[in-house]
Amino acid sequence: MTPFELTRFLSASALFCGLTDAELACVMPACAFKKLSRGEMVFCIGDPCESFHIVVSGQVKLFMTSPLGHEKVIEIFSAGQSFAEAIMFLDKPYIFNAQALNNVVLLEVSKQGVFAEIARDPKFAMHMLGGVSRRLATLIQDVEGYALKNGLQRLVAFLLRDVDLSSPDASNCLTVNLPASKGTVASRLSLTPEYFSRVLHDLADKQLIELDGRDIRIPDVRKLVAFGSESV
């Protein structure tokens, strides 16, 4: 990336979107690119956290493994999304694993560089707090979804996660590409792979979605929303 492209990319991330161009320029020396192949670990539980990460391309999953070897996917991150910021600020080792789901390019922002800029300019920290607050709001929504929504409703919400339902265009058809395998997405939603597949096929039988590998076509978004609302 050129300096201009890097500044624009950083400003689009949740953590840095509140920063001025001058503040972003101060962050740039703390940034480094890292390429990983599919299946490579970004980090493992217990590794020291010396940076946080922004996905430039590809997908990364955060996950934990139970003592019995069962994997629980915490989140799947795609281009423009960042992760591990909170761990960096806590000054603790990573408490989860991160793995490349495909060929990935990451932008790593060093803890040392961020902390140095916070010490130099306290306003920098205030601007970053907005991004941390937005991440917290997303986590609260996830907890709410697990506690108050059934499996079908969680799946519908995931498929429509990027849709503004208040928009007049929300009734239009939509094609959603699953960011990972169905098993990985099922784990992210705290569903078994079998239940996840069954719900997808039930929705397809009702002509609410059309399945084509990882592509899911939704002919009418509002009909899908209405069906999910009725399935309490």
Side-chain angles (χ1 to χ4, degrees):
M1 289 185 181
T2 66
F4 173 76
E5 290 172 330
L6 180 55
T7 299
R8 188 170 60 178
F9 181 79
L10 288 172
S11 66
S13 69
L15 197 64
F16 290 145
C17 64
L19 301 186
T20 65
D21 287 347
E23 288 169 331
L24 290 171
C26 293
V27 173
M28 287 169 59
C31 298
F33 289 99
K34 182 176 182 179
K35 294 183 179 180
L36 298 102
S37 300
R38 178 180 179 180
E40 270 194 89
M41 300 300 295
V42 182
F43 53 75
C44 297
I45 293 176
D47 288 348
C49 181
E50 299 298 338
S51 61
F52 76 92
H53 317 267
I54 305 175
V55 181
V56 177
S57 63
Q59 286 87 32
V60 171
K61 69 174 178 179
L62 299 190
F63 70 98
M64 302 181 74
T65 305
S66 73
L68 297 177
H70 300 303
E71 181 181 293
K72 171 64 179 88
V73 177
I74 303 168
E75 187 56 280
I76 301 169
F77 294 99
S78 299
Q81 296 180 304
S82 57
F83 58 96
E85 309 96 313
I87 302 300
M88 182 186 73
F89 285 114
L90 288 174
D91 198 25
K92 292 184 176 181
Y94 292 112
I95 58 174
F96 38 66
N97 305 296
Q99 184 180 31
L101 288 172
N102 40 40
N103 292 337
V104 168
V105 177
L106 295 177
L107 184 65
E108 299 192 327
V109 186
S110 75
K111 176 174 70 175
Q112 183 179 5
V114 171
F115 282 20
E117 190 57 26
I118 289 174
R120 190 190 70 81
D121 181 8
K123 290 182 181 179
F124 181 85
M126 294 298 295
H127 289 162
M128 288 185 67
L129 279 175
V132 174
S133 299
R134 283 184 286 275
R135 175 58 54 80
L136 177 60
T138 299
L139 292 174
I140 291 173
Q141 289 174 352
D142 283 348
V143 172
E144 179 186 28
Y146 295 141
L148 303 178
K149 294 180 180 178
N150 60 34
L152 184 148
Q153 290 171 328
R154 294 204 295 273
L155 174 54
V156 170
F158 181 81
L159 294 177
L160 302 179
R161 63 195 183 279
D162 295 325
V163 177
D164 179 6
L165 296 176
S166 64
S167 169
D169 296 329
S171 295
N172 294 348
C173 66
L174 172 73
T175 298
V176 177
N177 179 264
L178 295 181
S181 68
K182 292 177 181 177
T184 298
V185 175
S187 178
R188 163 68 179 83
L189 299 175
S190 293
L191 305 174
T192 65
E194 295 79 13
Y195 180 84
F196 182 83
S197 292
R198 186 168 70 249
V199 171
L200 282 180
H201 285 95
D202 285 347
L203 292 174
D205 290 342
K206 292 179 172 61
Q207 298 184 333
L208 292 167
I209 64 173
E210 299 171 5
L211 302 175
D212 183 13
R214 288 191 183 180
D215 288 335
I216 299 175
R217 183 176 180 273
I218 304 170
D220 190 315
V221 169
R222 293 203 183 278
K223 281 187 179 180
L224 181 61
V225 171
F227 181 79
S229 300
E230 294 168 0
S231 303
V232 179

Short mmCIF file of all heavy atoms in Angstrom, two decimals, residues 152 156 159-160 171-176 199-211 216-231:
data_model
loop_
_atom_site.label_atom_id
_atom_site.label_comp_id
_atom_site.label_asym_id
_atom_site.label_seq_id
_atom_site.Cartn_x
_atom_site.Cartn_y
_atom_site.Cartn_z
N LEU A 152 -32.63 -20.74 14.74
CA LEU A 152 -33.04 -20.21 13.44
C LEU A 152 -32.89 -18.69 13.41
O LEU A 152 -32.41 -18.13 12.41
CB LEU A 152 -34.49 -20.60 13.16
CG LEU A 152 -35.05 -20.21 11.79
CD1 LEU A 152 -36.07 -21.23 11.30
CD2 LEU A 152 -35.68 -18.81 11.81
N VAL A 156 -30.65 -16.44 10.83
CA VAL A 156 -31.21 -15.35 10.01
C VAL A 156 -30.48 -14.05 10.29
O VAL A 156 -30.13 -13.30 9.37
CB VAL A 156 -32.73 -15.21 10.27
CG1 VAL A 156 -33.26 -13.94 9.62
CG2 VAL A 156 -33.47 -16.42 9.74
N LEU A 159 -27.13 -14.06 8.53
CA LEU A 159 -27.23 -13.87 7.09
C LEU A 159 -27.51 -12.41 6.74
O LEU A 159 -27.07 -11.91 5.70
CB LEU A 159 -28.34 -14.75 6.51
CG LEU A 159 -28.11 -16.27 6.57
CD1 LEU A 159 -29.34 -17.00 6.03
CD2 LEU A 159 -26.87 -16.67 5.79
N LEU A 160 -28.22 -11.71 7.63
CA LEU A 160 -28.62 -10.33 7.34
C LEU A 160 -27.81 -9.31 8.14
O LEU A 160 -28.22 -8.17 8.30
CB LEU A 160 -30.12 -10.16 7.66
CG LEU A 160 -31.06 -11.10 6.90
CD1 LEU A 160 -32.50 -10.85 7.33
CD2 LEU A 160 -30.91 -10.93 5.40
N SER A 171 -36.10 -4.85 1.00
CA SER A 171 -36.91 -5.95 0.48
C SER A 171 -36.28 -6.62 -0.73
O SER A 171 -36.73 -7.67 -1.17
CB SER A 171 -38.32 -5.44 0.09
OG SER A 171 -39.01 -5.00 1.23
N ASN A 172 -35.27 -6.00 -1.31
CA ASN A 172 -34.66 -6.55 -2.51
C ASN A 172 -33.98 -7.89 -2.23
O ASN A 172 -33.69 -8.23 -1.08
CB ASN A 172 -33.63 -5.57 -3.07
CG ASN A 172 -34.27 -4.29 -3.57
OD1 ASN A 172 -35.49 -4.22 -3.70
ND2 ASN A 172 -33.46 -3.28 -3.84
N CYS A 173 -33.71 -8.60 -3.30
CA CYS A 173 -33.00 -9.87 -3.15
C CYS A 173 -31.55 -9.61 -2.75
O CYS A 173 -31.01 -8.52 -2.99
CB CYS A 173 -33.09 -10.70 -4.42
SG CYS A 173 -32.24 -9.97 -5.84
N LEU A 174 -30.94 -10.60 -2.15
CA LEU A 174 -29.58 -10.44 -1.61
C LEU A 174 -28.86 -11.77 -1.72
O LEU A 174 -29.46 -12.83 -1.51
CB LEU A 174 -29.67 -10.01 -0.15
CG LEU A 174 -28.37 -9.97 0.66
CD1 LEU A 174 -27.51 -8.79 0.21
CD2 LEU A 174 -28.68 -9.86 2.16
N THR A 175 -27.59 -11.73 -2.08
CA THR A 175 -26.76 -12.93 -2.07
C THR A 175 -25.69 -12.79 -1.00
O THR A 175 -24.95 -11.80 -0.99
CB THR A 175 -26.10 -13.18 -3.44
OG1 THR A 175 -27.12 -13.39 -4.43
CG2 THR A 175 -25.22 -14.42 -3.39
N VAL A 176 -25.64 -13.75 -0.11
CA VAL A 176 -24.69 -13.75 1.00
C VAL A 176 -23.70 -14.88 0.78
O VAL A 176 -24.08 -16.01 0.47
CB VAL A 176 -25.41 -13.95 2.35
CG1 VAL A 176 -24.39 -14.01 3.49
CG2 VAL A 176 -26.41 -12.83 2.58
N VAL A 199 -31.52 -26.38 9.19
CA VAL A 199 -32.25 -25.10 9.11
C VAL A 199 -32.08 -24.49 7.72
O VAL A 199 -33.05 -23.98 7.14
CB VAL A 199 -31.76 -24.12 10.20
CG1 VAL A 199 -32.35 -22.74 9.97
CG2 VAL A 199 -32.13 -24.63 11.58
N LEU A 200 -30.86 -24.55 7.17
CA LEU A 200 -30.65 -24.03 5.82
C LEU A 200 -31.55 -24.72 4.81
O LEU A 200 -32.18 -24.07 3.96
CB LEU A 200 -29.18 -24.20 5.41
CG LEU A 200 -28.16 -23.22 5.97
CD1 LEU A 200 -26.77 -23.57 5.45
CD2 LEU A 200 -28.49 -21.77 5.60
N HIS A 201 -31.63 -26.03 4.90
CA HIS A 201 -32.45 -26.77 3.93
C HIS A 201 -33.94 -26.54 4.17
O HIS A 201 -34.73 -26.52 3.21
CB HIS A 201 -32.10 -28.26 3.96
CG HIS A 201 -30.79 -28.57 3.30
ND1 HIS A 201 -29.60 -28.68 3.98
CD2 HIS A 201 -30.48 -28.77 1.99
CE1 HIS A 201 -28.62 -28.93 3.13
NE2 HIS A 201 -29.13 -28.99 1.92
N ASP A 202 -34.34 -26.35 5.43
CA ASP A 202 -35.74 -26.03 5.71
C ASP A 202 -36.11 -24.68 5.09
O ASP A 202 -37.19 -24.53 4.49
CB ASP A 202 -35.98 -25.99 7.22
CG ASP A 202 -36.04 -27.37 7.84
OD1 ASP A 202 -36.14 -28.36 7.08
OD2 ASP A 202 -35.97 -27.47 9.08
N LEU A 203 -35.21 -23.71 5.22
CA LEU A 203 -35.45 -22.39 4.63
C LEU A 203 -35.49 -22.48 3.10
O LEU A 203 -36.29 -21.80 2.45
CB LEU A 203 -34.38 -21.40 5.07
CG LEU A 203 -34.37 -21.02 6.56
CD1 LEU A 203 -33.15 -20.14 6.87
CD2 LEU A 203 -35.65 -20.28 6.94
N ALA A 204 -34.64 -23.33 2.56
CA ALA A 204 -34.64 -23.52 1.10
C ALA A 204 -35.94 -24.18 0.64
O ALA A 204 -36.51 -23.81 -0.39
CB ALA A 204 -33.44 -24.36 0.68
N ASP A 205 -36.43 -25.18 1.41
CA ASP A 205 -37.68 -25.84 1.06
C ASP A 205 -38.86 -24.87 1.08
O ASP A 205 -39.81 -25.03 0.30
CB ASP A 205 -37.96 -26.99 2.03
CG ASP A 205 -36.99 -28.16 1.84
OD1 ASP A 205 -36.35 -28.22 0.77
OD2 ASP A 205 -36.85 -28.98 2.77
N LYS A 206 -38.77 -23.87 1.95
CA LYS A 206 -39.84 -22.86 2.03
C LYS A 206 -39.61 -21.73 1.04
O LYS A 206 -40.33 -20.73 1.05
CB LYS A 206 -39.91 -22.30 3.47
CG LYS A 206 -40.40 -23.32 4.50
CD LYS A 206 -40.42 -22.72 5.89
CE LYS A 206 -41.09 -23.66 6.89
NZ LYS A 206 -40.39 -24.95 7.03
N GLN A 207 -38.59 -21.86 0.20
CA GLN A 207 -38.25 -20.90 -0.86
C GLN A 207 -37.90 -19.51 -0.29
O GLN A 207 -38.06 -18.50 -0.95
CB GLN A 207 -39.39 -20.78 -1.87
CG GLN A 207 -39.68 -22.08 -2.59
CD GLN A 207 -40.74 -21.96 -3.66
OE1 GLN A 207 -41.61 -21.10 -3.60
NE2 GLN A 207 -40.66 -22.82 -4.67
N LEU A 208 -37.40 -19.52 0.95
CA LEU A 208 -36.94 -18.28 1.56
C LEU A 208 -35.48 -18.00 1.22
O LEU A 208 -35.03 -16.85 1.29
CB LEU A 208 -37.13 -18.33 3.08
CG LEU A 208 -38.59 -18.34 3.55
CD1 LEU A 208 -38.68 -18.71 5.01
CD2 LEU A 208 -39.23 -16.97 3.29
N ILE A 209 -34.74 -19.06 0.89
CA ILE A 209 -33.35 -18.91 0.43
C ILE A 209 -33.10 -19.91 -0.68
O ILE A 209 -33.85 -20.88 -0.85
CB ILE A 209 -32.32 -19.12 1.56
CG1 ILE A 209 -32.38 -20.57 2.08
CG2 ILE A 209 -32.52 -18.12 2.69
CD1 ILE A 209 -31.28 -20.90 3.08
N GLU A 210 -32.01 -19.68 -1.42
CA GLU A 210 -31.55 -20.62 -2.44
C GLU A 210 -30.08 -20.91 -2.17
O GLU A 210 -29.29 -19.98 -1.98
CB GLU A 210 -31.74 -20.02 -3.84
CG GLU A 210 -33.20 -19.72 -4.19
CD GLU A 210 -33.34 -18.93 -5.48
OE1 GLU A 210 -32.30 -18.71 -6.15
OE2 GLU A 210 -34.47 -18.51 -5.81
N LEU A 211 -29.72 -22.19 -2.14
CA LEU A 211 -28.37 -22.60 -1.77
C LEU A 211 -27.53 -22.91 -3.00
O LEU A 211 -27.99 -23.59 -3.91
CB LEU A 211 -28.42 -23.84 -0.86
CG LEU A 211 -29.22 -23.69 0.43
CD1 LEU A 211 -29.28 -25.03 1.17
CD2 LEU A 211 -28.60 -22.62 1.33
N ILE A 216 -25.56 -17.97 -0.62
CA ILE A 216 -26.95 -18.12 -0.21
C ILE A 216 -27.72 -16.92 -0.76
O ILE A 216 -27.46 -15.77 -0.38
CB ILE A 216 -27.09 -18.18 1.32
CG1 ILE A 216 -26.31 -19.39 1.86
CG2 ILE A 216 -28.57 -18.24 1.73
CD1 ILE A 216 -26.29 -19.47 3.37
N ARG A 217 -28.65 -17.20 -1.67
CA ARG A 217 -29.45 -16.13 -2.27
C ARG A 217 -30.75 -16.00 -1.50
O ARG A 217 -31.44 -16.99 -1.25
CB ARG A 217 -29.74 -16.43 -3.75
CG ARG A 217 -30.52 -15.32 -4.46
CD ARG A 217 -30.70 -15.61 -5.94
NE ARG A 217 -31.45 -14.56 -6.61
CZ ARG A 217 -32.77 -14.52 -6.67
NH1 ARG A 217 -33.49 -15.50 -6.13
NH2 ARG A 217 -33.38 -13.53 -7.30
N ILE A 218 -31.08 -14.78 -1.12
CA ILE A 218 -32.31 -14.48 -0.39
C ILE A 218 -33.23 -13.71 -1.34
O ILE A 218 -32.98 -12.53 -1.61
CB ILE A 218 -32.02 -13.66 0.87
CG1 ILE A 218 -30.99 -14.40 1.75
CG2 ILE A 218 -33.30 -13.39 1.66
CD1 ILE A 218 -30.45 -13.57 2.89
N PRO A 219 -34.28 -14.32 -1.88
CA PRO A 219 -35.14 -13.64 -2.86
C PRO A 219 -35.85 -12.42 -2.31
O PRO A 219 -36.04 -11.43 -3.01
CB PRO A 219 -36.15 -14.73 -3.27
CG PRO A 219 -35.49 -16.02 -2.91
CD PRO A 219 -34.67 -15.73 -1.69
N ASP A 220 -36.26 -12.50 -1.04
CA ASP A 220 -36.97 -11.38 -0.42
C ASP A 220 -36.53 -11.28 1.03
O ASP A 220 -36.89 -12.12 1.87
CB ASP A 220 -38.48 -11.59 -0.51
CG ASP A 220 -39.27 -10.34 -0.11
OD1 ASP A 220 -38.92 -9.73 0.93
OD2 ASP A 220 -40.23 -9.98 -0.81
N VAL A 221 -35.75 -10.25 1.32
CA VAL A 221 -35.17 -10.11 2.66
C VAL A 221 -36.25 -10.00 3.72
O VAL A 221 -36.19 -10.63 4.78
CB VAL A 221 -34.23 -8.88 2.70
CG1 VAL A 221 -33.84 -8.55 4.14
CG2 VAL A 221 -32.99 -9.13 1.85
N ARG A 222 -37.28 -9.19 3.47
CA ARG A 222 -38.30 -8.97 4.50
C ARG A 222 -39.10 -10.23 4.80
O ARG A 222 -39.53 -10.45 5.94
CB ARG A 222 -39.22 -7.82 4.08
CG ARG A 222 -38.50 -6.48 4.05
CD ARG A 222 -39.45 -5.30 4.19
NE ARG A 222 -38.74 -4.05 4.09
CZ ARG A 222 -38.07 -3.48 5.08
NH1 ARG A 222 -38.01 -4.07 6.27
NH2 ARG A 222 -37.45 -2.32 4.91
N LYS A 223 -39.30 -11.08 3.81
CA LYS A 223 -39.99 -12.34 4.07
C LYS A 223 -39.17 -13.22 5.00
O LYS A 223 -39.72 -13.88 5.89
CB LYS A 223 -40.26 -13.08 2.75
CG LYS A 223 -41.45 -12.55 1.96
CD LYS A 223 -41.73 -13.43 0.76
CE LYS A 223 -42.94 -12.92 -0.02
NZ LYS A 223 -43.23 -13.78 -1.21
N LEU A 224 -37.86 -13.23 4.81
CA LEU A 224 -36.99 -14.01 5.68
C LEU A 224 -37.01 -13.44 7.10
O LEU A 224 -37.07 -14.18 8.08
CB LEU A 224 -35.56 -14.02 5.13
CG LEU A 224 -34.54 -14.84 5.93
CD1 LEU A 224 -34.95 -16.31 5.99
CD2 LEU A 224 -33.15 -14.70 5.33
N VAL A 225 -36.97 -12.11 7.21
CA VAL A 225 -37.03 -11.46 8.53
C VAL A 225 -38.34 -11.81 9.22
O VAL A 225 -38.37 -12.15 10.42
CB VAL A 225 -36.90 -9.94 8.39
CG1 VAL A 225 -37.17 -9.25 9.73
CG2 VAL A 225 -35.51 -9.56 7.88
N ALA A 226 -39.45 -11.74 8.49
CA ALA A 226 -40.76 -12.03 9.08
C ALA A 226 -40.85 -13.48 9.54
O ALA A 226 -41.36 -13.77 10.63
CB ALA A 226 -41.86 -11.75 8.06
N PHE A 227 -40.29 -14.40 8.75
CA PHE A 227 -40.31 -15.81 9.14
C PHE A 227 -39.50 -16.03 10.41
O PHE A 227 -39.93 -16.76 11.32
CB PHE A 227 -39.78 -16.68 8.01
CG PHE A 227 -39.80 -18.15 8.33
CD1 PHE A 227 -40.99 -18.87 8.24
CD2 PHE A 227 -38.65 -18.81 8.73
CE1 PHE A 227 -41.02 -20.22 8.55
CE2 PHE A 227 -38.68 -20.15 9.04
CZ PHE A 227 -39.86 -20.86 8.95
N GLY A 228 -38.33 -15.38 10.49
CA GLY A 228 -37.51 -15.51 11.70
C GLY A 228 -38.20 -14.94 12.92
O GLY A 228 -38.10 -15.49 14.02
N SER A 229 -38.94 -13.85 12.75
CA SER A 229 -39.65 -13.23 13.88
C SER A 229 -40.78 -14.12 14.39
O SER A 229 -41.10 -14.12 15.58
CB SER A 229 -40.21 -11.87 13.46
OG SER A 229 -39.16 -11.01 13.05
N GLU A 230 -41.39 -14.87 13.48
CA GLU A 230 -42.49 -15.76 13.87
C GLU A 230 -42.02 -17.02 14.55
O GLU A 230 -42.79 -17.68 15.26
CB GLU A 230 -43.30 -16.13 12.62
CG GLU A 230 -44.02 -14.96 11.97
CD GLU A 230 -44.56 -15.32 10.60
OE1 GLU A 230 -44.36 -16.49 10.19
OE2 GLU A 230 -45.19 -14.47 9.96
N SER A 231 -40.74 -17.35 14.37
CA SER A 231 -40.21 -18.63 14.88
C SER A 231 -39.65 -18.45 16.28
O SER A 231 -38.44 -18.55 16.52
CB SER A 231 -39.13 -19.16 13.95
OG SER A 231 -39.63 -19.30 12.64
#
